[in-house]
Amino acid sequence: MKKILNWGLLVVLMMIFAISCSTQMTTLENGKKIDNRLVGVWSGSEKDQQIDGVSKKWDMTRNADGTFILDFVFTQNGRTQETQETGNWWIEGNKFYEYHEESGKTDVYTYSVLNENQIKFKSQSISVGMNNDSYEFTDTRRK
């Protein structure tokens, strides 16, 4: 009897694990995968990583359909400039892909979900020049 209960408990735990993993990922009609934990409005910032003397802040809205809107605020020598970029995002394994419509280029990052409100990204291949080969940042959930 004890063996049957242990087996039943194991089956239930495996089912819960399978369900929780499957809800994290969605496959879009185009075959690309979305990690649902990354959907939402996220904020981040960095200073001097891309260009010395430049600080950058952003809000990124990642939608469940694989589209994004990225609002940047750049500040250098007391002057501020705002820009907006749009595109598509998807994941493959632990890599995050960000295709920018404006440039026609795709940035690639490894990512790790630190908790439900923070994601750490590390550049693998990005279309803009950087001061730093190991560009890293953490996005924090706003919504």
Side-chain angles (χ1 to χ4, degrees), residues 56-75:
K56 182 170 61 172
K57 296 179 183 179
W58 60 87
D59 288 326
M60 182 173 211
T61 302
R62 288 188 208 96
N63 298 306
D65 65 358
T67 60
F68 72 80
I69 299 172
L70 182 54
D71 293 307
F72 280 113
V73 177
F74 299 92
T75 303

Side-chain angles (χ1 to χ4, degrees), residues 18 28 43 55 66 71 78 81 84 98 133 137:
L28 301 176
S43 294
S55 64
D71 293 307
Q81 178 183 352
Q84 186 177 78
E98 188 178 273
D133 288 340
F137 59 90

Side-chain angles (χ1 to χ4, degrees), residues 24-36 38-39 60-68 86-101 104-111 121 125:
Q24 290 177 356
M25 301 296 171
T26 300
T27 301
L28 301 176
E29 288 181 14
N30 63 9
K32 295 189 174 171
K33 295 195 182 305
I34 297 299
D35 185 335
N36 292 311
L38 279 61
V39 172
M60 182 173 211
T61 302
R62 288 188 208 96
N63 298 306
D65 65 358
T67 60
F68 72 80
T86 58
N88 296 298
W89 70 278
W90 67 95
I91 60 105
E92 293 176 16
N94 73 329
K95 291 190 178 173
F96 173 84
Y97 293 79
E98 188 178 273
Y99 171 78
H100 295 262
E101 292 173 352
K105 297 184 178 180
T106 302
D107 296 337
V108 182
Y109 302 88
T110 56
Y111 76 99
F121 293 90
S125 168

Side-chain angles (χ1 to χ4, degrees), residues 15-30:
M15 287 175 52
I16 290 170
F17 178 76
I19 290 169
S20 68
C21 288
S22 66
T23 59
Q24 290 177 356
M25 301 296 171
T26 300
T27 301
L28 301 176
E29 288 181 14
N30 63 9

Side-chain angles (χ1 to χ4, degrees), residues 45-46 49-50 56 58 72 109 121-124 126 128 130 132-137:
S45 64
E46 62 99 331
Q49 286 197 56
Q50 190 172 11
K56 182 170 61 172
W58 60 87
F72 280 113
Y109 302 88
F121 293 90
K122 183 174 181 178
S123 65
Q124 299 296 299
I126 53 178
V128 294
M130 290 285 171
N132 185 342
D133 288 340
S134 60
Y135 176 56
E136 295 182 14
F137 59 90

